[in-house]
Amino acid sequence: MTGRHPGPEHVTQRATASDHARIIEAGGDVHVWEAGGPTPHTLDALPPAPRLTGRTAQAEELLKALEPDETGRVATVVTGLPGVGKSALALHTAQRAVDLGHFPGGTLFVHLRGYAPTGAVGPGQALETLLRALGVRTEDLPPTVEEQAGLYQSELARRARDHGPALILADDASSPAQLLPLIPAHPGHRLLATSRDALTAPDFRPRLVPLDELDTDAAGKLIAGALAQVRPEDPRAGAEPDALEQVAAHCGGLPLALTIAAALLTDDPGLPIATLADDLADTRTRLESLRHEDADGRTLAVRTAFDLSHRRLKERDARLFRLLTLNPGPDVSTDAATALSGRSTKETRGSLAALTRSCLLGEQPTGSGRWRAHDLIRLYAADLPPEEDEDEALERLLTYYSTVSAAADGHLRGPHGQQALDVFPDRASASTWLDAERANLIAVIPSAASDPATALGLVDRLTTYLHERRHFHEVLALSEYALAVARTLDDPTVEAWALTILGIALEGVRRFDEAVDVLAQVVDVYAELDERHSEGVALNGLGTALMQVRRFDEAVDALTRAVGIFRELGERHGESRALNNLAIALQEVRLFDEAIDAHARDLTICHELGDRLGESAALNNLGVALRLVGRFDEAAQAHTRDLAICRELDDRHGEGQALGNLGTVLQEGLVLDLAIDAHTQAVAIYRELDDRHREGGTLNNLGVALRLAHRVDESIEAHTQAADIFRELDDRHREGGALNNLGIALIEVPRLDEAVTALTQALRIYREFGDSHNEAIALRNLDAARADRLPPPAKREKRRWFRRGRAGGPGA
């Protein structure tokens, strides 16, 4: 028989004690350098398991998969991207299973080198290694792979009979063909494998255990533990926790990258962690920085690990892998990937699935049609040589985003919106698409810099959505970008349009004085250009900004002009929006009858146009006006109708407003249990939407309702939270209102010293704003606190106009 001894470049044999010095951890994976000499026949040792950090849940899942049971599933594969720590987890869990006595028949280990540049270990080579470990002499090895597989199964059966179940650990497999001959026929044995690919085949159905990157806390602990292991006195991890967190973040929680970072710090004990964090902060050089070479010239590098997986991709899959980097957002949809690829959806999905099997991409969550790559893999892909048709691919992507966002924006703007395509069946589905694509749409706009029309079109199509979702800071950033682009065109109309968006965005981020200045400038520009429609839009925005700085008479004038322009042009939708804001301004100057009339006209127009969103806003504001004149029954009906529309449209922000205003009406009628319920629901919605201003306002109203219901301690807590929010937001006037109400609640306890403090602060704020009306109220309450008595109650209609059983209350 001719000898067929596998060389050390192909097979990792069982490690003896002398071999253990040649085993090192590399990003959680284990690499074994083989020693010469006879192969050992013992079955009671595994390569040493590296230190495991942050993998408790995954280790328990894997240990359960290795437990003896009657399912007949003997094969388990740990999968994950390169360097994620698959081998470390497998070795650690295998050792625990042995310690628990699960495998009295012993353990076998074979390194399959599935991604090695020199070639993967073939089934015959792997079987030879395992047969020798089982005690078969070289001269007794059968000549064919089929015969070796038969002998392997026979030896495993004998070992199960004589000693009990055994565990075979096959590290770094790259194909089902490598593992199929190794699957034990005896149901008591277990095969545990690791692979960068999710290995399945029609004749190979293992249990897959996917492994993701470490979270930030565990990633920092991995580096800190490595430093302490080498030098227990190393103070850097404890002294630089923020820098340690930054390094962990730059490594993306990938154990291979974290191990390299720890090695770089270990090699240079005087290197501050902050310096390494600064080096890794540059995305252009991060992959090159994540490279370590030891004294023997052995190199460990993130890029090399990714290379081994990339070179196995088919050409069409590698092409898409590179093209996906043209999408600058955090993930990509199947439809956007199809636009990039220029192929059919089916073909593109096939390539996406291939990249997912290679763990270079992941569908998150499974079945969502949204694909995401690890940050370091994205950097690696972006460094690959460009594809020849990348310009065409980017143009297809921009066309896709422009076309579909236009269709979505058409739904959001209502019946007056121009829908480019019948893509979405309804408004809710359009909003859902925008929610999913928001980050991509914002990130892709600079990619269209060479085509200003496309860039500005995308900005225009996003503004309605972003305002509706209260992403005002994003609107501000886009408007500043749009203004910069518009000024390069030397077109005053486009520049004025960009300034309009900027002014409205400034109002959204509560920079009201700046908003007034910008919008007043825009009004003058459009008046000079005789752009009547745009002048009306700018006047409408100016009017709302003027209200925010309490210049109500000027707001009424601006909004009255806007209504007149839209009516003159026959633009019913514009007239509706301007009437809505005019009515609010009229309330502020206490012209309540005129305000109610304006709201009623707005409501009629919205109903005629089929504008449900506008109808919702009109009902909301009509209800406020009716409440202010004491028409509580009608106010409650308006807010209840508004609430139904908001829920129909899945408008969470509008739902919060409807609930809050309904709660205030119920509060006025002293239907306190339902008022508290409505306010509480509204607070929860605003917290969900991270709308801090409205959360604070609703907490303030909730506090009043709680106090009226004699739940004073809860009232004090609500007012305190409201005051804290407004202080945090630097909204001094509303902080004064919360402090005034807090003072009243504190008087009732009585906690008079605290009440005096709160009311004194409120009084100071009102005087600062020149608000004589509220100053008088705060002064009256302060006098009451100093006199140790409750303030006189405001005049209030005491009748319970709202029946408690009606419609199940606001939460129905």
Side-chain angles (χ1 to χ4, degrees):
M1 173 183 293
T2 59
R4 289 173 285 111
H5 297 270
E9 72 275 15
H10 292 301
V11 178
T12 297
Q13 299 177 357
R14 290 274 304 164
T16 64
S18 63
D19 291 323
H20 290 173
R22 296 178 176 86
I23 300 174
I24 67 167
E25 179 182 0
D29 289 332
V30 171
H31 297 268
V32 183
W33 277 258
E34 295 77 20
T39 303
H41 295 166
T42 57
L43 289 171
D44 57 356
L46 288 166
R51 182 192 297 266
L52 200 64
T53 303
R55 298 297 196 194
T56 302
Q58 294 87 345
E60 291 301 323
E61 179 185 357
L62 188 55
L63 185 63
K64 186 173 182 61
L66 298 179
E67 289 178 355
D69 59 31
E70 302 301 324
T71 63
R73 176 173 287 184
V74 300
T76 300
V77 180
V78 181
T79 69
L81 69 158
V84 81
K86 302 176 292 293
S87 299
L89 176 66
L91 285 167
H92 171 86
T93 309
Q95 189 59 61
R96 282 188 61 193
V98 170
D99 293 342
L100 290 171
H102 291 345
F103 299 107
T107 56
L108 298 164
F109 179 84
V110 60
H111 199 304
L112 297 178
R113 298 188 177 277
Y115 303 88
T118 53
V121 171
Q125 296 167 315
L127 285 168
E128 286 184 11
T129 301
L130 294 173
L131 285 169
R132 287 196 194 92
L134 286 164
V136 177
R137 297 177 301 178
T138 299
E139 58 269 25
D140 293 333
L141 288 171
T144 67
V145 173
E146 291 76 10
E147 291 173 316
Q148 290 169 10
L151 180 58
Y152 169 72
Q153 296 295 347
S154 176
E155 287 297 315
L156 286 180
R158 181 177 61 81
R159 180 154 292 274
R161 182 180 65 249
D162 296 344
H163 303 285
L167 172 66
I168 302 96
L169 202 165
D171 193 32
D172 202 29
S174 62
S175 69
Q178 284 184 294
L179 296 176
L180 277 169
L182 309 185
I183 300 174
H186 191 284
H189 298 312
R190 292 289 181 271
L191 171 66
L192 174 60
T194 68
S195 179
R196 302 179 184 192
D197 289 87
L199 298 181
T200 61
D203 53 351
F204 182 59
R205 301 292 186 190
R207 174 173 180 171
L208 297 180
V209 178
L211 195 60
D212 292 326
E213 57 269 22
L214 296 171
D215 61 33
T216 302
D217 182 60
K221 288 180 179 177
L222 189 153
I223 297 175
L227 297 181
Q229 188 175 8
V230 175
R231 296 183 181 87
E233 72 283 359
D234 193 326
R236 288 176 291 179
E240 300 181 75
D242 293 339
L244 182 63
E245 184 175 334
Q246 290 172 22
V247 170
H250 294 325
C251 292
L254 187 68
L256 171 58
L258 296 164
T259 299
I260 293 172
L264 294 171
L265 292 168
T266 300
D267 282 356
D268 187 351
L271 178 69
I273 298 177
T275 301
L276 178 60
D278 289 341
D279 290 342
L280 296 177
D282 190 342
T283 57
R284 297 169 299 178
T285 59
R286 186 177 299 167
L287 289 178
E288 289 304 316
S289 297
L290 289 171
R291 183 179 183 276
H292 178 267
E293 184 174 335
D294 66 16
D296 295 329
R298 293 180 299 181
T299 299
L300 202 60
V302 170
R303 187 187 298 277
T304 302
F306 294 164
D307 278 337
L308 296 177
S309 291
H310 178 257
R311 66 164 53 103
R312 289 173 50 83
L313 295 175
K314 295 179 180 178
E315 182 179 350
R316 65 175 182 271
D317 304 332
R319 173 179 174 273
L320 181 60
F321 181 59
R322 164 65 191 182
L323 290 179
L324 289 176
T325 65
L326 300 179
N327 184 78
D331 63 358
V332 65
S333 68
T334 303
D335 289 339
T338 299
L340 280 167
S341 73
R343 296 186 289 152
S344 69
T345 300
K346 181 178 181 181
E347 291 173 320
T348 303
R349 176 90 197 197
S351 287
L352 291 167
L355 294 172
T356 300
R357 286 195 301 273
S358 300
C359 294
L360 295 173
L361 196 67
E363 188 179 15
Q364 299 179 0
T366 301
S368 66
R370 304 202 67 82
W371 311 82
R372 183 185 296 267
H374 188 276
D375 288 347
L376 293 178
I377 288 180
R378 285 175 58 86
L379 292 178
Y380 170 81
D383 279 348
L384 293 171
E387 294 291 328
E388 292 181 357
D389 63 339
E390 286 195 0
D391 289 343
E392 293 85 350
L394 179 58
E395 185 176 346
R396 290 194 300 268
L397 180 70
L398 290 172
T399 299
Y400 165 75
Y401 280 136
S402 297
T403 302
V404 183
S405 63
D409 184 48
H411 277 281
L412 265 61
R413 292 184 188 236
H416 63 289
Q418 296 297 315
Q419 296 186 33
L421 283 175
D422 187 18
V423 176
F424 302 103
D426 51 37
R427 190 177 194 280
S429 59
S431 294
T432 298
W433 183 84
L434 287 165
D435 287 338
E437 296 292 0
R438 170 182 139 217
N440 284 313
L441 291 167
I442 291 172
V444 83
I445 287 172
S447 301
S450 61
D451 183 2
T454 298
L456 296 177
L458 282 167
V459 171
D460 185 45
R461 290 161 195 154
L462 275 173
T463 51
T464 298
Y465 161 75
L466 291 173
H467 275 287
E468 185 174 303
R469 287 291 196 256
R470 323 301 288 179
H471 299 306
F472 295 123
H473 288 283
E474 292 177 359
V475 180
L476 180 61
L478 288 180
S479 63
E480 290 172 340
Y481 173 81
L483 182 59
V485 173
R487 283 175 172 162
T488 66
L489 301 177
D490 194 27
D491 184 333
T493 302
V494 177
E495 184 174 342
W497 164 81
L499 281 169
T500 303
I501 296 177
L502 175 61
I504 296 171
L506 287 167
E507 184 180 348
V509 297
R510 309 189 72 77
R511 290 161 57 179
F512 299 121
D513 289 324
E514 295 172 74
V516 168
D517 291 342
V518 169
L519 290 168
Q521 175 187 345
V522 172
V523 169
D524 291 341
V525 171
Y526 281 132
E528 183 178 339
L529 294 172
D530 197 26
E531 294 275 358
R532 296 289 281 163
H533 167 80
S534 298
E535 182 183 355
V537 171
L539 281 165
N540 192 32
L542 176 61
T544 60
L546 286 165
M547 280 193 280
Q548 295 294 345
V549 294
R550 309 185 68 76
R551 291 160 60 178
F552 298 118
D553 290 329
E554 295 172 75
V556 169
D557 178 64
L559 292 164
T560 301
R561 288 166 60 194
V563 170
I565 288 173
F566 289 126
R567 189 173 295 152
E568 167 198 324
L569 296 175
E571 293 190 9
R572 302 279 278 161
H573 185 267
E575 181 184 352
S576 163
R577 290 291 184 261
L579 276 169
N580 179 66
N581 292 327
L582 173 60
I584 296 172
L586 289 167
Q587 291 177 37
E588 294 291 350
V589 295
R590 311 190 72 76
L591 297 174
F592 297 116
D593 290 338
E594 291 90 334
I596 291 170
D597 178 64
H599 282 312
R601 284 188 285 153
D602 175 22
L603 187 59
T604 299
I605 293 172
C606 291
H607 186 71
E608 290 174 358
L609 295 175
D611 182 358
R612 297 288 278 165
L613 191 63
E615 189 175 347
S616 166
L619 284 165
N620 176 68
N621 295 323
L622 175 62
V624 172
L626 290 166
R627 174 176 62 81
L628 291 174
V629 296
R631 292 161 62 177
F632 297 134
D633 286 304
E634 296 169 81
Q637 291 170 10
H639 289 310
T640 301
R641 288 171 60 193
D642 175 26
L643 182 60
I645 293 174
C646 292
R647 287 173 172 167
E648 168 198 325
L649 298 177
D650 193 27
D651 178 3
R652 294 288 283 163
H653 196 272
E655 182 181 355
Q657 285 186 293
L659 283 164
N661 286 325
L662 179 58
T664 302
V665 174
L666 293 165
Q667 186 175 308
E668 291 284 343
L670 296 181
V671 189
L672 299 177
D673 51 351
L674 294 181
I676 290 168
D677 179 53
H679 285 316
T680 302
Q681 289 184 62
V683 168
I685 289 173
Y686 290 138
R687 283 178 179 162
E688 170 196 324
L689 299 176
D690 196 29
D691 186 341
R692 298 286 282 162
H693 265 100
R694 283 194 166 83
E695 179 188 349
T698 308
L699 279 167
N700 196 31
N701 291 333
L702 173 61
V704 173
L706 288 165
R707 177 173 59 80
L708 293 173
H710 306 296
R711 293 161 59 175
V712 183
D713 289 337
E714 295 172 77
S715 171
I716 291 170
E717 176 62 23
H719 289 311
T720 301
Q721 289 182 39
D724 288 345
I725 288 172
F726 290 132
R727 191 175 301 116
E728 168 198 326
L729 297 173
D730 196 29
D731 188 340
R732 296 278 290 159
H733 194 270
R734 287 179 174 82
E735 181 187 351
L739 287 167
N740 180 71
N741 288 330
L742 173 61
I744 296 172
L746 288 166
I747 291 173
E748 290 202 14
V749 178
R751 288 157 54 180
L752 299 177
D753 289 341
E754 295 172 72
V756 168
T757 299
L759 291 165
T760 300
Q761 292 174 348
L763 185 63
R764 186 181 303 121
I765 290 171
Y766 288 136
R767 283 174 176 167
E768 172 188 325
F769 278 88
D771 185 348
S772 57
H773 176 72
N774 282 311
E775 179 187 345
I777 294 173
L779 185 60
R780 181 190 66 187
N781 293 333
L782 181 59
D783 289 342
R786 286 170 173 164
D788 191 11
R789 58 179 172 77
L790 290 175
K795 292 183 179 180
R796 180 185 301 278
E797 175 60 61
K798 299 296 185 182
R799 63 188 177 89
R800 293 184 178 268
W801 51 270
F802 193 89
R803 296 181 181 177
R804 291 177 178 272
R806 180 179 179 180

